[in-house]
Amino acid sequence: MNRKCIVAGNWKMNKDFSEGLSLALSIVDGTPNGKTEVVIGTPFIHLQAVADIVVNHPKVHLAAQNCSTATSGAYTGEISVDMLTSVGASYVIIGHSERRQLFGETSAQLLEKVKQALQAGLTPIFCCGEPLDIREAGTHVDYVAQQLKEGLAGITAEEFAKIVIAYEPIWAIGTGVTASPAQAQQMHQAIRSQIAHTYDGGLAEATTILYGGSVKPANAADLFSQVDVDGGLVGGASLKPETFLPIIEAMEAELAAAQ
């Protein structure tokens, strides 16, 4: 498998400035210089300082948790992609379920954010996933396929090659419930099939697809052993080095075993 494997941490709205720097230092110190790409998604207040920390490790990168649809202007409280790149971010999380649900972000807005990110040279981590009622209705595959169609409409194959997909079953975020490895694999395979249908099989096989539903040290190895799971977008477990670093180690172990 030649796909890039990533373990990304999404701190959400956690950690004051000094706490964030301490956490970033611990992650950088504990991350092996192996095959796993590690991404730290910090609040905006940490970006510049954490950029100065991760620059010392070739496998650790910085992500913002959101960006504006606009390049600049009178948009109080927003942050542009050029601002993000100017402080050293190389990734940006777009379309997280919390942004969709709590802040009402639409597929049209997410598409504009993806375009902004790509134009600025940022790698979008584009999130998709279904709520519990859709899962229970058995329409989750079609639901996620529609999210991809609408949120990435018109994106060329060349542009899509620069995007990372994160599948996050909403019913498994912060609930303590995790999709089984088989459920995760089913959805990742379905997403890869959708990419192949929209573009081609080669691009689908090359796309990194992360699992983003309550990844923790206890389940990381089983999830990462699935053929179409290329890492994780980690929430709560990314807030402590003693829970985040073992997830990175699980990815490294899986890559070593696959050789």
Side-chain angles (χ1 to χ4, degrees), residues 15-257:
K15 302 297 180 185
D16 66 22
F17 187 70
S18 62
E19 290 170 343
L21 298 196
S22 176
L23 176 56
L25 283 166
S26 295
I27 292 170
V28 168
D29 288 345
T31 295
N33 187 9
K35 293 188 175 182
T36 304
E37 297 284 333
V38 175
V39 177
I40 304 176
T42 79
F44 294 136
I45 66 163
H46 298 98
L47 288 174
Q48 177 69 75
V50 173
D52 292 339
I53 293 170
V54 303
V55 74
N56 296 315
H57 198 300
K59 288 295 183 177
V60 185
H61 309 280
L62 179 64
Q65 298 176 17
N66 190 24
C67 66
S68 175
T69 59
T71 303
S72 63
Y75 301 101
T76 301
E78 290 292 281
I79 189 164
S80 73
V81 289
D82 288 342
M83 292 174 180
L84 297 180
T85 58
S86 74
V87 295
S90 51
Y91 287 80
V92 59
I93 300 169
I94 294 176
H96 191 281
S97 60
E98 290 158 5
R99 297 300 310 177
R100 294 175 186 262
Q101 290 185 303
L102 301 179
F103 300 96
E105 292 190 357
T106 66
S107 291
Q109 289 173 315
L110 300 182
L111 177 58
E112 288 306 310
K113 292 185 179 192
V114 169
K115 290 178 178 177
Q116 287 280 339
L118 291 171
Q119 187 172 16
L122 289 166
T123 298
I125 300 177
F126 184 84
C127 301
C128 55
E130 79 282 2
L132 182 60
D133 60 328
I134 297 296
R135 166 63 66 162
E136 290 180 337
T139 57
H140 45 287
V141 172
D142 290 341
Y143 183 91
V144 171
Q146 191 64 27
Q147 286 183 320
L148 293 170
K149 288 177 185 177
E150 293 178 356
L152 299 173
I155 296 296
T156 67
E158 182 180 7
E159 290 170 329
F160 189 88
K162 301 172 184 176
I163 295 173
V164 171
I165 302 296
Y167 166 63
E168 42 165 14
I170 298 170
W171 46 273
I173 298 175
T175 63
V177 177
T178 308
S180 69
Q183 287 174 316
Q185 169 57 24
Q186 178 202 40
M187 278 303 304
H188 282 233
Q189 185 179 48
I191 291 168
R192 211 173 295 283
S193 295
Q194 175 65 27
I195 297 167
H197 176 75
T198 303
Y199 299 101
D200 60 66
L203 183 54
E205 282 302 310
T207 299
T208 296
I209 307 176
L210 310 179
Y211 173 75
S214 297
V215 181
K216 42 190 178 284
N219 61 31
D222 287 339
L223 288 166
F224 297 163
S225 69
Q226 303 303 306
V227 66
D228 287 302
V229 177
D230 306 315
L233 178 59
V234 185
S238 72
L239 297 176
K240 296 179 181 179
E242 58 265 33
T243 50
F244 190 56
L245 292 173
I247 296 172
I248 299 170
E249 292 165 6
M251 188 77 259
E252 280 292 290
E254 178 59 31
L255 291 172

